[in-house]
Amino acid sequence: MPARHPAARAVRAGLALAAAAVLAGCANVPQPTPSDPWESYNRGMYAFNDTLDRAILKPIATGYETVTPRPVRTCIHNVFSNLGDVWSAVNSFVQGRGHDFVNTLGRVLFNSTMGLGGCIDVASMNGARKIPNDFGVTLGVWGFDSGPYVVLPFLGSSTVRDGVGTGVALVAPSSPTAAILTMDDIPVRNALVGLYIVDTRANLLEADRLVDQIALDKYSFIRDAYLQRRKAMVQSRRQGGEAAGEQTPGYTDSGVPDYADPDNE
């Protein structure tokens, strides 16, 4: 019998460990947190994701961070972030936030041209800050309740509302994932999907190290931080960007973003 490829063995071992983690994490939680009524399931799924991450994704992301020069990593991350800004702009538009839509669309145009296809975030250098937005936040602005907290397989923290938003983002033509998945060249498409996953995980390594240092219960820490952030994002959009200390970014008196270079003023 031919020997299995080392990568295949690593995947099989990771899946086996993750399955064991799910079984170990499925103990019943007698008094779950009100926002987390499915805590028994969620802890099991969190253990699955965490075990799989430590066995496969985290080592790959750590190696990527080690061997890839920082300027190259920054360029790759900025290109994916620029694609994400298109989806943010769409959501700002349907939320009725015209200033955010114009500002984010300006970021995309500025970075796509002057920033060499998004490789350089020249918009942020000139005072046009990034405005994260997605369809889960849009549903919240429209009045839909977040629903219970849920840990999704492979994707991690979410809520019922955000899970719907994630599903829409996977098929919406203007989302970054859909833009990649619709490519006809299968090898290039798969390479970009893999690079997108590795880039996303690599940019979480520092946060991961911080959580390891300060959190007594990583599951509760991640859950509470996620729910607080999502709540603040929805409230800030409902209240015109004033909640949670958020300020309307980069607007001039004329109501349009200011992309002027301060060094030339």
Side-chain angles (χ1 to χ4, degrees), residues 17 104 130 163 189 203 208 212 215 220 232:
L17 290 172
T104 304
K130 189 176 183 68
R189 181 193 66 192
N203 279 276
D208 193 42
D212 284 338
S220 298

Short mmCIF file of all heavy atoms in Angstrom, two decimals, residues 17 104 130 163 189 203 208 212 215 220 232:
data_model
loop_
_atom_site.label_atom_id
_atom_site.label_comp_id
_atom_site.label_asym_id
_atom_site.label_seq_id
_atom_site.Cartn_x
_atom_site.Cartn_y
_atom_site.Cartn_z
N LEU A 17 -8.52 14.59 16.07
CA LEU A 17 -8.39 15.34 17.32
C LEU A 17 -9.57 16.27 17.52
O LEU A 17 -10.08 16.43 18.64
CB LEU A 17 -7.07 16.13 17.32
CG LEU A 17 -5.79 15.31 17.44
CD1 LEU A 17 -4.58 16.20 17.21
CD2 LEU A 17 -5.71 14.64 18.80
N THR A 104 -16.41 55.17 1.57
CA THR A 104 -15.84 53.86 1.31
C THR A 104 -15.62 53.63 -0.18
O THR A 104 -14.61 53.05 -0.59
CB THR A 104 -16.77 52.76 1.88
OG1 THR A 104 -16.97 53.00 3.29
CG2 THR A 104 -16.16 51.38 1.71
N LYS A 130 -10.96 53.39 7.24
CA LYS A 130 -11.78 52.24 6.85
C LYS A 130 -13.04 52.20 7.70
O LYS A 130 -13.00 52.45 8.92
CB LYS A 130 -10.98 50.96 7.02
CG LYS A 130 -11.63 49.71 6.44
CD LYS A 130 -10.69 48.53 6.59
CE LYS A 130 -11.28 47.28 5.96
NZ LYS A 130 -11.36 47.41 4.48
N GLY A 163 -25.06 34.91 11.12
CA GLY A 163 -24.94 33.73 10.28
C GLY A 163 -25.67 33.90 8.96
O GLY A 163 -25.17 33.50 7.90
N ARG A 189 -8.25 30.27 -8.81
CA ARG A 189 -9.30 30.51 -7.81
C ARG A 189 -8.98 29.81 -6.50
O ARG A 189 -9.08 30.41 -5.42
CB ARG A 189 -10.64 29.99 -8.35
CG ARG A 189 -11.82 30.20 -7.40
CD ARG A 189 -13.02 29.40 -7.87
NE ARG A 189 -12.76 27.97 -7.76
CZ ARG A 189 -13.54 27.04 -8.32
NH1 ARG A 189 -14.60 27.39 -9.03
NH2 ARG A 189 -13.25 25.75 -8.16
N ASN A 203 -3.37 37.41 10.20
CA ASN A 203 -3.65 38.70 10.81
C ASN A 203 -4.34 38.58 12.16
O ASN A 203 -4.57 39.61 12.82
CB ASN A 203 -4.49 39.55 9.86
CG ASN A 203 -3.66 40.21 8.78
OD1 ASN A 203 -3.07 41.26 8.96
ND2 ASN A 203 -3.59 39.55 7.61
N ASP A 208 -4.48 36.38 18.89
CA ASP A 208 -4.49 35.04 19.48
C ASP A 208 -3.49 34.94 20.62
O ASP A 208 -3.78 34.37 21.68
CB ASP A 208 -4.17 34.02 18.38
CG ASP A 208 -4.48 32.60 18.81
OD1 ASP A 208 -5.52 32.37 19.44
OD2 ASP A 208 -3.65 31.70 18.51
N ASP A 212 -4.37 34.30 24.64
CA ASP A 212 -3.71 33.22 25.39
C ASP A 212 -3.09 33.74 26.69
O ASP A 212 -3.05 33.03 27.69
CB ASP A 212 -2.61 32.58 24.53
CG ASP A 212 -3.19 31.65 23.46
OD1 ASP A 212 -4.32 31.18 23.63
OD2 ASP A 212 -2.49 31.41 22.46
N ALA A 215 -6.68 35.60 29.00
CA ALA A 215 -8.00 35.00 29.18
C ALA A 215 -7.91 33.73 30.02
O ALA A 215 -7.16 32.81 29.69
CB ALA A 215 -8.64 34.70 27.84
N SER A 220 -15.34 32.08 26.75
CA SER A 220 -16.15 33.20 27.26
C SER A 220 -15.58 34.54 26.83
O SER A 220 -16.32 35.47 26.49
CB SER A 220 -16.24 33.13 28.79
OG SER A 220 -16.88 31.95 29.21
N ALA A 232 -21.91 47.18 19.35
CA ALA A 232 -21.43 48.55 19.17
C ALA A 232 -21.50 48.96 17.70
O ALA A 232 -21.86 50.10 17.38
CB ALA A 232 -20.00 48.67 19.68
#
